[in-house]
């Protein structure tokens, strides 16, 4: 493809350049969960496939690799005319690893809801964050655009799915994934957003509408926000949402201590 050739030449002459694979893979290879209370054994099989991918990832010390068959299987088993509330989960900068897998497992226990978690690392892309709580600032803008494009793409795909209840689409973002979730302002209606120890900063933008519900979690001593504050409490004040804040907490995953509040938010804000 000559477009890739010319992009490569541009990178050579202009210096550091972030190259990525096609955004379509992030949706095609998403982690998918189905509501067992509505789809029965079919949902059990779909969810088990994701669990096995995650178990293999733990054994091999690699990220999970999900099958595009799961989304097809979910669509095939939704009764004709049925509409499912949908949660779109956006993982943090390191991908679908321990924290994200834990969140997805808990979300899968909800009645009625289906979940789709796009996988940013299903396509070729650079590493951005590191275990010493630092990030590669030289590619921050590129990574921002990359993640925003991933969320925009999945929302456009979701709008085409006949089994999705378009009045009940919820966005959940953990860590870096909270940035795109706070910023999304595309054409697909969002019912509510949850940001789990994530970003709500001007770097990402503000896409909230006045009729959306909002819940954020924020640890006051979270090491990831020593240099770059999350700003989620200010975001909540602007939008009349709810903030779960623990000033002395050091965890980057505060929602685990308050998961019933996540569940209640989703159930209470369904239309």
């Amino acid at each position: 493809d000559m477009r890739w050739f010319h992009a490569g030449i541009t990178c050579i002459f202009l210096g550091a350049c972030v190259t990525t694979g096609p955004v379509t893979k992030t949706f095609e290879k998403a982690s998918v969960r189905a509501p067992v209370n509505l789809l029965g054994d079919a949902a059990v099989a779909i969810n088990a496939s994701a669990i096995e991918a995650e178990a293999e990832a733990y054994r091999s010390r690699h990220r999970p690799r999900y099958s595009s068959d799961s989304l097809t299987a979910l669509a095939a088993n939704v009764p004709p005319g049925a509409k499912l509330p949908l949660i779109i989960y956006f993982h943090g900068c390191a991908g679908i690893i321990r924290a994200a897998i834990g969140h997805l497992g808990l979300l899968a226990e909800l009645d009625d809801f289906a979940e789709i978690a796009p996988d940013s690392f299903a396509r070729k892309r650079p590493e951005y964050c590191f275990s010493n709580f630092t990030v590669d600032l030289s590619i921050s803008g590129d990574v921002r655009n990359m993640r925003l494009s991933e969320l925009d793409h999945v929302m456009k795909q979701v709008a085409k799915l006949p089994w999705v209840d378009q009045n009940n689409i919820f966005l959940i973002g953990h860590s870096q994934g909270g940035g795109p979730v706070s910023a999304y302002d595309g054409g697909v209606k969002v019912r509510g957003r949850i940001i789990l120890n994530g970003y709500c900063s001007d770097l990402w933008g503000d896409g909230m509408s006045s009729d959306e519900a909002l819940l954020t979690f924020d640890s006051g001593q979270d090491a990831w926000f020593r240099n770059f504050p999350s700003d989620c409490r200010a975001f909540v004040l602007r939008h009349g949402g709810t903030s779960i804040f623990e000033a002395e907490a050091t965890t980057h995953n505060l929602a685990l201590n308050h998961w019933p509040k996540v569940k209640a938010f989703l159930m209470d804000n369904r239309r």
Side-chain angles (χ1 to χ4, degrees):
D1 189 318
M2 290 302 294
R3 291 172 300 173
W4 291 104
F5 173 77
H6 289 304
I9 293 297
T10 302
C11 290
I12 290 171
F13 283 100
L14 296 183
C17 199
V18 172
T19 57
T20 63
V23 70
T24 53
K25 289 190 175 185
T26 64
F27 176 70
E28 292 166 358
K29 297 291 188 178
S31 174
V32 175
R33 287 349 194 247
V36 175
N37 70 310
L38 296 180
L39 304 187
D41 290 343
V44 171
I46 292 167
N47 298 346
S49 176
I51 292 168
E52 176 54 34
E54 291 153 4
E56 174 57 29
Y58 277 129
R59 292 191 292 267
S60 64
R61 298 186 180 181
H62 292 99
R63 294 184 181 89
R65 281 292 171 259
Y66 302 99
S67 169
S68 57
D69 295 338
S70 293
L71 194 59
T72 302
L74 174 55
N77 284 283
V78 176
K83 301 289 184 181
L84 302 185
L86 179 66
I87 296 165
I88 297 173
Y89 177 91
F90 229 54
H91 63 68
C93 66
I96 300 180
I97 53 175
R98 187 179 300 273
I101 289 169
H103 296 151
L104 290 170
L106 290 166
L107 290 171
E109 296 176 5
L110 294 174
D111 287 343
D112 301 339
F113 286 86
E115 294 91 49
I116 297 176
D119 182 0
S120 182
F121 287 88
R123 61 169 167 166
K124 181 181 178 181
R125 50 148 293 174
E127 299 283 351
Y128 177 68
C129 60
F130 308 98
S131 59
N132 62 348
F133 308 112
T134 63
V135 298
D136 184 352
L137 290 175
S138 70
I139 60 172
S140 291
D142 294 304
V143 170
R144 174 189 179 276
N145 293 337
M146 181 180 64
R147 298 305 309 273
L148 288 172
S149 73
E150 292 165 3
L151 183 51
D152 185 62
H153 177 72
V154 72
M155 294 295 274
K156 288 177 179 176
Q157 301 312 304
V158 160
K160 303 173 186 177
L161 299 177
W163 53 266
V164 172
D165 182 349
Q166 300 291 331
N167 293 315
N168 283 296
I169 297 175
F170 291 83
L171 303 181
I172 299 180
H174 175 239
S175 191
Q176 183 193 76
V181 163
S182 69
Y184 177 75
D185 62 354
V188 180
K189 184 61 186 167
V190 176
R191 176 65 199 112
R193 310 185 194 212
I194 303 177
I195 300 172
L196 312 175
N197 284 77
Y199 289 93
C200 309
S201 67
D202 292 339
L203 169 67
W204 292 94
D206 184 346
M208 284 281 296
S209 297
S210 59
D211 60 346
E212 295 176 26
L214 173 65
L215 173 66
T216 72
F217 291 82
D218 189 1
S219 304
Q221 303 301 316
D222 187 337
W224 279 106
F225 299 114
R226 288 172 184 162
N227 298 318
F228 303 97
S230 77
D231 294 328
C232 281
R233 281 177 291 152
F235 192 74
V236 164
L237 289 175
R238 290 202 301 273
H239 294 291
T242 300
S243 172
I244 309 299
F245 175 68
E246 291 188 3
E248 299 305 316
T250 60
T251 179
H252 193 52
N253 197 3
L254 187 63
L256 283 185
N257 299 332
H258 299 279
W259 197 258
K261 294 179 181 178
V262 174
K263 180 178 180 180
F265 174 90
L266 292 165
M267 296 299 187
D268 292 347
N269 286 291
R270 283 182 55 185
R271 285 180 169 162

